[in-house]
Amino acid sequence: MVPNLVLRLFLIGVLASEIWTQDRPGSLSSECLGSLLRVALNAEYFEDKYLIFAAVDQFGTAQEIDETLAAQCGYTIEYNYWGNIEFRASIISCYTHIESDVYTVTVQIQAATNPDMKNALTHLKTVSCPYSPWHPRELVCETNYMEVSVRRNVPQITADLLQDEPEDWALAFPEATAGAVSIWQVVFHLPTGRKTLLVSDAQNAGYGLNTTDTRILLRAPYNATEAQRVKVRGVTFSAVRASTFYKQRWMILMVDTAVACPIDGVDYTDDTIIWTIPKNLPTLSAGATSFNDLLVEIGVDLHKLSAREIASRKYVLSNNTNEITIQMPIGAEGGYYKTHVSEGQHGTKYYINLFLEHQWEDNRWGVTKHTIIKEIETPFKLVPPTITNMLPSARGFCDDDNLYLTVVRGNVDQNWLPFISNLSLSPDAAQKHNYGLDDNGTHFTIRVPLYAPHILYEDIHPSGITASLRLTMKDNTHADMTDFSISCSFSPKELIDCLPNGTMAITAIKLAGITDLDTSLFVLRDKRCRPVSVTETSATFIFNVTTCGTSRKFENTVMTYENDVSYFRPGSITPIYQLKCACQYMINETIVVQYSSKNNPAPSIKPGFGALALTLRLFKDKSYSDSYKEIEYPVVKYLKEALYFEVELLHSEDPRLELYLEDCWATTSQDRDSSPQWSIITDSCENAEDSHQTIFHKVASDSRVKFPTHLKRFEVKMFTFMQDGNALLEQVAVLRHIICMGMCLLEQSLSKVNELDAIIPQGNA
């Protein structure tokens, strides 16, 4: 007797939900661009993919990049009209590895065809860029953040800047002397006075603070709370005036880490773009009395232009005492047009990504390098549309059991007919083969099951089956006009079955690349073992694991049986087709099963009140696939960062029950009636008074969720409680408790009311 079955292997493996690759050739490219680096994603390969970017730290941990982390850590992700995607990073970003003036950044990119990121393909790209020498002060104005880095041995804050601010030193000294080496404190200089933040408070507010062996860094988003709008000769700048304190052995160093970046400054005529950048900004030149321009260079897409290229593109670069001006014709090389429809009118806009590098020397800082990246979009301009022949286009995707193609019709294919192989895909033909066909005149979608006769199987291997669906559009003479296809990888779980009585059932399928393959000639290792059933595209074997040349091996308490399905051409001893398969069984295991039967009474429904068990969990992201475990608490979250909650009804197998959340509110203590408190859900809806309203997420069935109606999911932005207009900063954990009042409905009848109090363990909020 074969031992009890506990594990089934599908072709010696199951298709993983995440597939890793170092870098598919041609899918990613990189380049070093001074103090920035860029990774470009091939538009053809990543087209119509859902993407998640993450920075990989020195320990190999991937840190997912959202909008807040990007601005704080020095990352930028951009998409343009042509489908191109690029990832940019400061060479001194948060997770850069620095060694001997070489700066290395590793980015992880997950790409999937569905928003749930199932079967995502993960790419790793490592870029190393040398950069030397650094200037005493370097400023970068990226599209989503401002960055300043200075040498540690820069001159001290000048007396005239400090004459009204001697308290800065006094404010810094107690924390610095009490702290460890390299503890930071930042003093922001605002029109209303000074604001002092320790490094943890500044980071929670969205600032990036860092130090290397030779430099001190401050990074801020344009909309930072302490950022000021400053007008310089008619151009608006976002400016942060900050003094950064850094403690070293036996001394405290105070450094001027001011940064300013232009927000506007672009004007337009009918055919010209004019970009003006003022010089000698007060925020950046405090204490300096003499200035000398060293270098002014411009470029497109972070590539510098030579004087000859500037002239050939008809750009005009002007540099006078007070400002730098760049003029360029609308439509110049390096940009692109995009069509729009506004209020029923067709028109275009012109887009171009310019950048300016300005270096100057003053008698305080020495040399300052200021790099400004500017995305320019011209105003909407009416342009009559030009009608041309538009061919149909298509996109495809797959789920666990089907392949799909959606074809958007053009204006020349009204009489074209869709064919799959030699099958004309009429509604009757689709119904006959159990194919899906939806056609609304402007586009149509077809659905074909994985094991349908018109699916082509391109490859089969331990991790999965590669299947493709090919659609041909033919005119009324049946001449081929165009074709589309979609290929996906699937789990091979339907091809092998390991039965508890020691029987293996294997289905081998025909591959598209072997045209003359006869499935009736498939054999096992013992060539006397033939298929029990054969179709044009497949052959099925059913045999005992002790027959047909099946091999057996032991590993610990697991016994594995293996065999191969092969196809040989006449006269050849080398198979041109081979499918490996295996079954695993546990050994030395006995299971005793008792059973009895009785007549159960007919079910009845009685509405009423009662207590049912609920649980509330905190998840790491909106996929709701990984919740925080007890050992991971306390959980550190920043303000405005999303919290993903899930409330689940426990101990019920009744699919007719549905859970409703009536009211949820947050408190700072375990007392549900304590103050302050804030409503998150009111009468099963978002709190209308909340500026960051609760977001409800749909729940779908999966391997973990059997009854979606038994769960409710919602997303809350992290916040702090206010009292008398001030944040309760003394609370280490600002949001600590969530209380929910819920109810279950059973076919329109109230079944129970319950209260759930979830405590978020102590941690920075």
Side-chain angles (χ1 to χ4, degrees), residues 10-15 19 458-466 488-492 495 511 578-580:
F10 308 118
L11 303 181
I12 327 179
V14 179
L15 182 63
I19 305 171
E458 300 174 349
D459 191 17
I460 186 167
H461 47 79
S463 62
I465 305 168
T466 302
C488 296
S489 293
F490 295 87
S491 168
L495 301 183
L511 297 182
Q578 190 170 55
L579 172 63
K580 295 184 177 293

Side-chain angles (χ1 to χ4, degrees), residues 158 160 284-291 360-365:
T158 58
D160 59 336
L284 304 179
S285 59
T289 57
S290 64
F291 303 89
W360 72 87
E361 185 176 25
D362 59 46
N363 60 346
R364 178 168 175 268
W365 279 99

Side-chain angles (χ1 to χ4, degrees), residues 113-218:
T113 56
N114 294 305
D116 61 3
M117 303 305 291
K118 184 176 181 181
N119 296 333
L121 187 65
T122 301
H123 301 259
L124 281 177
K125 184 68 174 180
T126 298
V127 185
S128 296
C129 293
Y131 186 70
S132 181
W134 284 88
H135 299 84
R137 178 173 63 167
E138 297 202 5
L139 305 106
V140 176
C141 299
E142 250 287 7
T143 56
N144 60 325
Y145 65 85
M146 306 180 289
E147 179 185 281
V148 56
S149 70
V150 298
R151 287 180 184 166
R152 288 189 185 178
N153 60 344
V154 296
Q156 298 292 306
I157 304 293
T158 58
D160 59 336
L161 183 62
L162 286 174
Q163 61 185 359
D164 295 325
E165 303 160 4
E167 299 86 358
D168 289 0
W169 289 97
L171 291 171
F173 192 79
E175 289 83 1
T177 55
V181 173
S182 300
I183 294 295
W184 289 80
Q185 177 171 282
V186 184
V187 177
F188 294 95
H189 305 278
L190 306 172
T192 57
R194 291 171 300 279
K195 183 176 181 180
T196 303
L197 296 178
L198 293 177
V199 61
S200 58
D201 299 321
Q203 289 173 336
N204 288 341
Y207 291 94
L209 298 166
N210 203 357
T211 177
T212 70
D213 290 341
T214 59
R215 303 189 74 77
I216 295 172
L217 163 75
L218 172 69

Side-chain angles (χ1 to χ4, degrees), residues 310-380:
I310 292 173
S312 67
R313 299 185 183 196
K314 296 183 172 56
Y315 293 10
V316 177
L317 174 62
S318 304
N319 182 17
N320 59 37
T321 303
N322 296 321
E323 59 191 23
I324 300 169
T325 303
I326 302 168
Q327 298 186 51
M328 57 177 297
I330 295 176
E333 180 183 350
Y336 60 90
Y337 283 101
K338 181 180 178 181
T339 61
H340 297 265
V341 175
S342 176
E343 297 180 351
Q345 299 292 314
H346 180 271
T348 63
K349 292 183 180 181
Y350 174 75
Y351 299 80
I352 191 168
N353 293 334
L354 297 178
F355 85 96
L356 168 75
E357 181 179 311
H358 180 206
Q359 296 183 24
W360 72 87
E361 185 176 25
D362 59 46
N363 60 346
R364 178 168 175 268
W365 279 99
V367 178
T368 294
K369 176 184 174 183
H370 197 180
T371 301
I372 304 172
I373 300 173
K374 191 70 174 178
E375 295 182 333
I376 293 178
E377 172 184 328
T378 63
F380 179 80

Side-chain angles (χ1 to χ4, degrees), residues 613-628:
L614 299 176
T615 183
L616 184 146
R617 287 187 288 265
L618 177 62
F619 283 78
K620 296 181 179 180
D621 54 47
K622 62 184 177 182
S623 69
Y624 287 90
S625 59
D626 188 8
S627 63
Y628 285 101

Side-chain angles (χ1 to χ4, degrees), residues 514-525:
I514 309 176
T515 56
D516 59 345
L517 187 148
D518 184 352
T519 57
S520 66
L521 299 180
F522 281 162
V523 294
L524 296 176
R525 288 179 180 173

